[in-house]
Amino acid sequence: MSEQPQFTIKVDQNKFLPEGGREVHAIVSVEGTGSPAAAATPAGAAEVIIIDTSGSMSYPDTKLRSAIAAAQTAIDTIRDGVYFAVISGANSAKMVFPGNAVLVRADAKTRHDAKYALSRLQASGGTAIGSWLRLADELFDAHQDGIRHAILLTDGKNQHETAEELDAVLFRCSGRFVCDCRGVGTDWEVAELRKISSALLGGVDIVADPQDLVADFQAMTEAAMGKAVADVMLRVWTPQAAKLRYVKQVMPSVEDLTGRRVEAAAQAGDYPLGAWGAESRDYHICVEVPPGDVGKELRAAWVKLMVPGPAGQEPQVLATGNVLAQWTDDEAQSTRINARVAHYTGQAELAEVIQEGLQARKDGDLDTATARLGRAVKLADEAGNEAITTMLRKVVDVVDPVTGTVRLKKNVNKVDEMELDTRSTKTVRTRGSSPLNPPVKGEG
């Protein structure tokens, strides 16, 4: 069996542009196939668990107990041989296990000792998340060649360091490890955790009930153990005089990667994708090209999936695909909108209008909130995003989903509002499509 997934790239687009047309859109679907059993060798994987132990974690007392149980379950889920450590975070970060700032291999004894150390945790102090991440980064420093994953749990706002201090830490840690963030309860800031998870290529979610932490930590750790390839990059080449307008992840969640570009070669840049296992993700690429003559075809972009090569060697190419442009005077060809491009454009807008609507509601701008959340209802209905539709209905009364006519609910549970905000970026694929079997041409 292969030691890593086999990768394929599928490009879905309408390549035809009208006379004078410049903008080329494509959905690039990347899929890794293979058994999770073929994941990275244990020696090539590292896991750090970060638990908030600030004073607020003791109210109610079930919160810290549940966090400890969740971390203990995560430790049991780590494979033998994987390097790991546990950090407690308050005004500063402290090692829970091991006692000194290193990672140790998982085995029966280290798991037992780590779970015992966790059981002795107590809550006190404030919240300085940057210091927690800085210590995690130090722990990962000796393991930059393998899978590097962290879990960060907090129940509050980052009140004991400045936003600039946190930003500096995120800048340092970006590209060095992936971090999934969880907020327990409702006293934390969605935007703050989203900023952290976005910078570190992880996910963010709310765990409203502390008793749900155990299952959530187990799922996150299992997913991390299923990763097989670290530091995957999407390299995008464009021709001279072309401009790459944006690169966005659009499945399984919306994440704008445009600003993460690292110049790689002439007319080519790398976009970090984090670690991969047996999974698929979709990316929306938009390229502006100089207009060509009718009948002319060119390669608007050359997309490569890359991983770093051994020391001193070139990166390895895992898969490639082409984004094409061809000019035509056939209006039927040039005006047909590719179904998957249209779908994901709507999904990206959906995330945006949800966040704008909720912020407007918080600011007391009820007209804007109604308009944005109404638009969200319409987009979610068109996309068949039933999960988001269900969450929206807890915030607004839907009069007509087709037109997006809604009324704001007067009393909204804070959990429902935070769940909608946190999960607004989660997307669904087009009805009846898979990454390698998109809808037939002509749809949409």
Side-chain angles (χ1 to χ4, degrees):
M1 180 177 290
S2 171
E3 292 185 357
Q4 69 178 35
Q6 299 300 302
F7 288 93
T8 54
I9 284 180
K10 167 73 176 181
V11 178
D12 200 49
Q13 65 166 135
N14 176 15
K15 69 177 182 178
F16 293 104
L17 298 177
E19 292 183 75
R22 292 175 173 269
E23 203 164 90
V24 183
H25 292 266
I27 300 300
V28 177
S29 297
V30 181
E31 185 168 29
T33 57
S35 169
T41 57
E47 184 78 23
V48 174
I49 301 168
I50 307 170
I51 300 296
D52 186 339
T53 54
S54 61
S56 58
M57 285 291 288
S58 61
Y59 304 104
D61 59 0
T62 55
K63 199 187 297 181
L64 183 58
R65 289 206 311 269
S66 295
I68 289 170
Q72 291 172 332
T73 298
I75 288 168
D76 281 334
T77 309
I78 294 171
R79 298 194 316 273
D80 282 344
V82 170
Y83 287 93
F84 81 103
V86 183
I87 293 172
S88 70
N91 295 75
S92 60
K94 296 181 180 179
M95 294 297 300
V96 176
F97 180 84
N100 51 341
V102 295
L103 300 180
V104 297
R105 289 182 184 268
D107 59 28
K109 182 179 188 305
T110 56
R111 285 195 192 90
H112 173 273
D113 292 348
K115 290 191 290 183
Y116 175 73
L118 274 162
S119 72
R120 298 171 62 84
L121 284 181
Q122 294 183 336
S124 65
T127 305
I129 296 175
S131 68
W132 313 351
L133 294 169
R134 192 181 304 111
L135 178 54
D137 184 57
E138 293 172 7
L139 293 173
F140 283 124
D141 197 47
H143 302 268
Q144 288 297 305
D145 292 336
I147 305 292
R148 305 172 303 284
H149 179 257
I151 293 172
L152 187 153
L153 174 72
T154 186
D155 76 330
K157 303 175 183 67
N158 194 41
Q159 295 177 322
H160 293 85
E161 63 186 4
T162 65
E164 291 75 18
E165 287 172 322
L166 177 59
D167 287 344
V169 173
L170 294 178
F171 180 79
R172 169 185 167 81
C173 295
S174 179
R176 289 174 56 81
F177 61 96
V178 172
C179 184
D180 287 318
C181 298
R182 292 297 184 266
V184 60
T186 59
D187 293 330
W188 53 283
E189 290 286 348
V190 175
E192 193 167 71
L193 278 199
R194 180 181 286 127
K195 179 171 74 171
I196 295 168
S197 65
S198 176
L200 302 181
L201 297 176
V204 60
D205 207 348
I206 179 174
V207 185
D209 187 342
Q211 294 184 8
D212 294 331
L213 284 171
V214 169
D216 189 62
F217 269 49
Q218 182 173 6
M220 280 192 288
T221 310
E222 286 175 347
M225 294 299 101
K227 301 298 183 185
V229 185
D231 303 319
V232 179
M233 302 168 288
L234 195 69
R235 177 167 294 180
V236 184
W237 171 94
T238 52
Q240 285 186 342
K243 179 181 179 181
L244 188 57
R245 295 182 63 84
Y246 58 77
V247 177
K248 297 178 182 179
Q249 178 181 285
V250 289
M251 180 72 200
S253 61
V254 177
E255 188 67 55
D256 193 342
L257 304 177
T258 310
R260 300 173 184 270
R261 179 184 175 100
V262 177
E263 296 301 323
Q267 301 161 236
D270 289 340
Y271 299 84
L273 308 183
W276 275 72
E279 60 187 296
S280 62
R281 306 178 202 170
D282 295 342
Y283 300 89
H284 185 171
I285 291 178
C286 177
V287 185
E288 184 180 310
V289 295
D293 296 332
V294 170
K296 179 181 179 181
E297 180 177 280
L298 64 75
R299 180 159 60 183
W302 187 15
V303 182
K304 299 179 182 180
L305 195 70
M306 316 279 290
V307 290
Q313 297 185 25
E314 292 294 312
Q316 177 187 356
V317 179
L318 302 178
T320 66
N322 289 310
V323 177
L324 303 176
Q326 182 175 338
W327 285 268
T328 179
D329 54 9
D330 184 335
E331 186 176 354
Q333 283 186 320
S334 64
T335 58
R336 186 181 68 233
I337 300 174
N338 178 272
R340 300 190 78 216
V341 170
H343 172 79
Y344 282 130
T345 299
Q347 294 274 280
E349 184 188 354
L350 174 60
E352 183 177 316
V353 295
I354 286 174
Q355 291 169 30
E356 289 176 351
L358 291 175
Q359 185 61 49
R361 185 179 180 277
K362 187 182 297 184
D363 295 341
D365 185 352
L366 302 187
D367 288 343
T368 298
T370 302
R372 295 292 189 273
L373 294 174
R375 175 66 176 162
V377 167
K378 184 179 187 326
L379 290 169
D381 181 67
E382 291 173 349
N385 196 330
E386 296 176 3
I388 293 293
T389 296
T390 298
M391 285 184 272
L392 280 164
R393 287 181 178 273
K394 295 178 180 178
V395 177
V396 297
D397 291 316
V398 178
V399 178
D400 183 356
V402 176
T403 61
T405 305
V406 303
R407 288 190 297 267
L408 296 180
K409 289 182 180 289
K410 290 185 178 180
N411 298 308
V412 176
N413 188 305
K414 191 174 182 181
V415 169
D416 294 334
E417 188 176 58
M418 291 180 71
E419 281 183 344
L420 176 60
D421 191 357
T422 307
R423 297 169 187 171
S424 60
T425 58
K426 297 185 185 300
T427 55
V428 295
R429 285 204 164 93
T430 49
R431 291 184 177 95
S433 72
S434 69
L436 301 185
N437 290 290
V440 295
K441 287 186 177 181
E443 285 187 340

